[in-house]
Amino acid sequence: MTSYMAPRPVRRISVPQLRARKGQVPIVCLTAYTAPVARLLDPSVDVLLVGDSLGMVVYGLPSTLGVTLEMMIAHSAAVVRASSRACVVADLPFGSYQQSPAQAFAAAARLMAEAGVGAVKLEGGEAMAETVRFLVDRGVPVMGHIGLLPQSVHAQGGYGARGNDPAEAAAILRDGRAIADAGAFCTVVEGVVEPLGRAVTEAIAIPTIGIGASSACDGQVLVTDDMVGLTGERVPRFVRGYARLGVTLGEAAAAYAEDVRARRFPAAAETYAEKPAG
Ligand code: KIV
């Protein structure tokens, strides 16, 4: 008789479930780029975001602009393999979707088919509404991203908070409405002043997930490495440090180095003894 193992049931949090969280219990989202981190975060979060912030966090790039679709597919596949509960959302990287809706669909299809993500995220508001509609109509769930747009860092002139200027605030509000009307199931709102975070959240029917956009949002996202103290001393004002893993890692490396130099490592218990012959 052939032995048969039934596939593990997939009970991931679904896009409609996230969409229905508008005004309900806040959506919890963290970034993940690797299998071990995804495995650790999966039980606690609703969304694992494979953000293109991986370009800076993992690859040491100066911005997200150098991230490729191949990088996103490889990291997204690792995160999907190591998780079973959270909805995995992957960023469409710079240059993979802005040219046309068809280009965006091709990139999104690769992330869904090759990596197995449940949705994609793209940056932009009114200008991307047609693309959002094109993807949604073809079965690709889309998370929006408005406010501070890291992929437009050169056009926006830096990473400062948006929305102090009334014209800029009005444009960001229009962006939120445009992508909600185009069918996005939720949207990240990044780096905006509190009244604007609140106004966007009140104005649109889909959940807002804030990063530096105030507690008024329907959920929150942070870059995990910032939250656990792995990205250095200087983190944005909106980050709360929940752990100091950078300090722990540095101390562990120094203790290991001392032990190796003093020949205290490896000890007998960490050494393979020769087995008696026969
Ligand atoms: O790339 C990313 O990690 C993001 C979050 C900061 C929202 O877009």
Side-chain angles (χ1 to χ4, degrees):
M1 206 177 84
T2 336
S3 74
Y4 160 79
M5 255 184 49
R8 202 166 42 144
V10 178
R11 292 224 176 79
R12 285 187 190 274
I13 293 169
S14 69
V15 161
Q17 284 171 328
L18 292 168
R19 167 76 184 72
R21 292 272 286 276
K22 177 76 188 174
Q24 306 291 319
V25 178
I27 295 172
V28 181
C29 176
L30 282 171
T31 61
Y33 318 119
T34 64
V37 171
R39 197 169 292 120
L40 290 168
L41 304 183
D42 188 44
S44 301
V45 304
D46 302 309
V47 178
L48 287 168
L49 174 65
V50 189
D52 60 357
S53 52
L54 70 81
M56 292 146 103
V57 176
V58 177
Y59 291 91
L61 295 171
S63 74
T64 58
L65 299 180
V67 175
T68 64
L69 186 57
E70 274 61 37
M71 285 155 90
M72 292 306 302
I73 291 170
H75 286 272
S76 300
V79 169
V80 169
R81 279 194 294 270
S83 60
S84 59
R85 182 182 170 279
C87 179
V88 179
V89 180
D91 261 329
L92 289 174
F94 180 67
S96 74
Y97 65 97
Q98 290 91 344
Q99 205 176 344
S100 66
Q103 185 208 23
F105 182 79
R110 286 196 64 194
L111 278 162
M112 293 179 80
E114 296 176 37
V117 302
V120 298
K121 174 164 84 60
L122 56 79
E123 294 185 12
E126 282 187 305
M128 295 312 302
E130 185 194 347
T131 297
V132 172
R133 171 55 62 201
F134 189 89
L135 294 180
V136 171
D137 284 350
R138 284 155 183 78
V140 179
V142 178
M143 178 184 280
H145 186 149
I146 60 171
L148 192 161
L149 306 178
Q151 291 180 9
S152 302
V153 58
H154 297 305
Q156 291 192 333
Y159 294 102
R162 316 277 133 172
N164 272 311
D165 167 50
E168 185 183 57
I172 292 171
L173 202 49
R174 282 199 304 276
D175 284 342
R177 288 200 174 103
I179 56 154
D181 290 350
F185 71 94
C186 71
T187 186
V188 165
V189 182
E190 178 163 0
V192 301
V193 294
E194 195 270 350
L196 181 56
R198 185 175 296 281
V200 174
T201 301
E202 284 170 3
I204 64 179
I206 57 171
T208 55
I209 301 185
I211 175 161
S214 91
S215 62
C217 295
D218 300 299
Q220 299 292 329
V221 57
L222 282 177
V223 169
T224 299
D225 296 65
D226 288 343
M227 188 210 55
V228 298
L230 276 173
T231 40
E233 294 298 305
R234 296 197 60 224
V235 287
R237 172 197 169 94
F238 56 76
V239 173
R240 184 179 296 175
Y242 284 86
R244 300 180 71 213
L245 298 193
V247 173
T248 305
L249 193 53
E251 286 172 359
Y256 167 72
E258 260 186 50
D259 283 351
V260 169
R261 291 188 185 115
R263 297 194 178 279
R264 284 192 299 266
F265 178 84
E270 291 142 349
T271 304
Y272 291 113
E274 194 182 17
K275 282 194 185 141

